[in-house]
Amino acid sequence: MAKQEYLKQVTIGNVSELCGLIELKEYDPAWAALYEAERQKINNALKRNEIIIEHIGSTSVPGLCAKPIIDILLLVEDPSDEDSYVPELEKAGYAMRVREPDWYGHRMLKGTNPEVNLHVFSIGCGEAQRMLDFRDWLRTHEADRNLYADTKRCLVQKRWKYLQDYADAKSGVVREIFKHIVPTYKICQLAELYIPEMQALFHDTIITINSKDYAKEEVEDWASCGNSIEHWKELLAKNDYVGVLDGQDRIIGFSSMNAEGYLHSMFVHKDWQGKGVATLLLTEVEKMARCYSVHKISVEASITARPFFEKHGYKVVKEQQAKAYRLYLRNFVMEKTL
């Protein structure tokens, strides 16, 4: 789909075109106070605890030039449940402008006086965490902050039809800066109290991520293997499970190892793919194997997971059809010598 067509599809109302050059201003300490006033307004409008509000974007980074627009991140339980938050925000003066259900469920409301972009995602959303990681990195790393500022100053000298065109033009430097960002995660041993979270992550990852390599009936059959709590208890008794937690102590990935060197599980939340979580988990379970004095690790890798394990030195021993619940699915027995 062409960019203009996409903007029209996701924008509520007319898509605004830029009439001149984009205005950049040097950092203004007043932006923090403007955010705080808006945060209180949002908090008072929604009047509940299960939300997270954060200042994001360039106005949230001291020392960084920015468009004088306050970007705010609002995390709710379910962005698609607009009735649970949009009416209250509209009463507070915000107007619904963007609805992107296929991009992390993103919604965006606009505020005026001051101008505000209020971005809504779900609690635990990986894209929202990326925004926070980027903000925090620029706040503490002057070289990348200056690189980002210099890039923006160059780009605003050009004429853009839509503001989104300018935002897209910054994607290259953003990718470069993200190469420097190393997210900090918590590692913990998993026990039975984590089973509900493990069940949900297991199911959602298979249905969304593995569906690109397996048929609908195959992923549904595979995902159903996680329905039994007793089965999870048996797995936890036979294997050592390790989890990676996000900033709110929610599981975003887990893996396991047993005393024979068998890596039973490796699942990463659908919103945290490609962020180093699987690599961190693999490092942890390989440490476990060494503690067991294991010299060779084996894993039954899915079609989806095979490239990841190959990248980390695992070799295919054989291809097989392995039983999930009722169906037999194609996977690969892989091994690595430590």
Side-chain angles (χ1 to χ4, degrees):
M1 182 185 299
K3 183 184 298 184
Q4 185 172 348
E5 293 177 2
Y6 180 77
L7 287 174
K8 289 181 179 179
Q9 177 179 304
V10 302
T11 302
I12 300 167
N14 295 325
V15 180
S16 301
E17 295 187 13
L18 295 172
C19 299
L21 295 176
I22 294 172
E23 178 189 24
L24 274 188
K25 289 190 173 182
E26 294 306 310
Y27 179 76
D28 186 345
W31 290 337
L34 291 174
Y35 158 73
E36 179 57 28
E38 295 298 311
R39 186 195 66 79
Q40 292 181 16
K41 183 195 298 186
I42 296 165
N43 210 37
N44 291 338
L46 298 181
K47 294 178 182 176
R48 54 180 181 271
N49 295 324
E50 63 275 15
I51 61 171
I52 298 171
I53 307 170
E54 294 277 358
H55 190 187
I56 57 170
S58 294
T59 61
S60 70
V61 180
L64 182 60
C65 57
K67 302 185 304 298
I69 300 172
I70 307 300
D71 282 289
I72 298 176
L73 179 65
L74 170 63
L75 303 182
V76 300
E77 183 175 350
D78 181 6
S80 67
D81 184 13
E82 295 180 9
D83 288 343
S84 68
Y85 63 92
V86 172
E88 290 94 337
L89 292 173
E90 288 179 334
K91 291 176 183 177
Y94 297 96
M96 190 75 168
R97 286 289 287 147
V98 173
R99 181 182 290 114
E100 294 182 278
D102 295 330
W103 188 63
Y104 303 96
H106 174 244
R107 269 69 172 168
M108 195 268 280
L109 295 89
K110 292 285 292 187
T112 56
N113 195 29
E115 187 173 357
V116 173
N117 289 337
L118 178 58
H119 301 275
V120 185
F121 291 96
S122 63
I123 294 174
C125 171
E127 182 60 25
Q129 187 60 49
R130 274 172 54 86
M131 294 177 178
L132 295 173
D133 289 342
F134 191 68
R135 176 201 68 184
D136 293 346
W137 183 265
L138 293 184
R139 283 176 172 177
T140 55
H141 292 79
E142 183 179 5
D144 280 339
R145 184 167 65 244
N146 291 339
L147 172 62
Y148 191 48
D150 291 344
T151 302
K152 295 205 296 180
R153 290 190 180 103
C154 289
L155 291 175
V156 295
Q157 300 305 312
K158 301 179 182 180
R159 291 187 176 272
W160 305 94
K161 185 173 183 180
Y162 301 111
L163 190 58
Q164 186 61 44
D165 295 331
Y166 163 73
D168 292 342
K170 295 187 293 181
S171 60
V173 71
V174 171
R175 283 195 298 270
E176 286 303 310
I177 293 172
F178 258 105
K179 291 178 182 179
H180 308 158
I181 300 176
V182 180
T184 55
Y185 303 119
K186 293 182 183 178
I187 304 292
C188 76
Q189 295 297 121
L190 299 181
E192 290 186 6
L193 64 92
Y194 288 101
I195 287 177
E197 281 190 81
M198 295 170 72
Q199 281 183 299
L201 190 152
F202 174 83
H203 179 275
D204 291 349
T205 302
I206 291 171
I207 293 298
T208 57
I209 303 302
N210 295 103
S211 60
K212 68 179 182 180
D213 296 307
Y214 293 91
K216 182 174 184 291
E217 60 272 18
E218 290 178 320
V219 293
E220 289 177 348
D221 183 77
W222 184 5
S224 71
C225 294
N227 292 346
S228 169
I229 292 178
E230 291 305 314
H231 180 57
W232 283 102
K233 290 180 179 179
E234 291 174 5
L235 290 175
L236 285 163
K238 294 177 181 178
N239 304 277
D240 291 320
Y241 275 81
V242 62
V244 175
L245 309 182
D246 67 6
Q248 284 77 48
D249 288 340
R250 287 184 293 266
I251 298 176
I252 58 175
F254 65 83
S255 188
S256 66
M257 177 60 61
N258 67 18
E260 286 72 47
Y262 178 60
L263 194 163
H264 179 272
S265 305
M266 174 72 76
F267 292 95
V268 175
H269 192 285
K270 61 184 177 63
D271 293 336
W272 290 84
Q273 300 284 315
K275 300 179 187 296
V277 176
T279 300
L280 182 57
L281 286 167
L282 189 60
T283 300
E284 290 298 315
V285 294
E286 288 183 353
K287 286 180 185 177
M288 290 182 189
R290 290 185 177 94
C291 289
Y292 280 128
S293 298
V294 168
H295 301 293
K296 183 180 289 183
I297 296 175
S298 64
V299 60
E300 294 178 76
S302 66
I303 300 170
T304 315
R306 175 181 172 176
F308 168 79
F309 283 105
E310 286 180 327
K311 179 181 176 182
H312 288 84
Y314 288 74
K315 306 294 184 183
V316 173
V317 175
K318 67 175 181 179
E319 181 178 330
Q320 64 180 11
Q321 296 291 321
K323 189 175 183 180
Y325 182 60
R326 291 186 300 270
L327 303 180
Y328 285 83
L329 278 60
R330 179 186 175 208
N331 70 16
F332 304 90
V333 176
M334 305 183 73
E335 292 181 350
K336 178 181 178 179
T337 301
L338 298 177

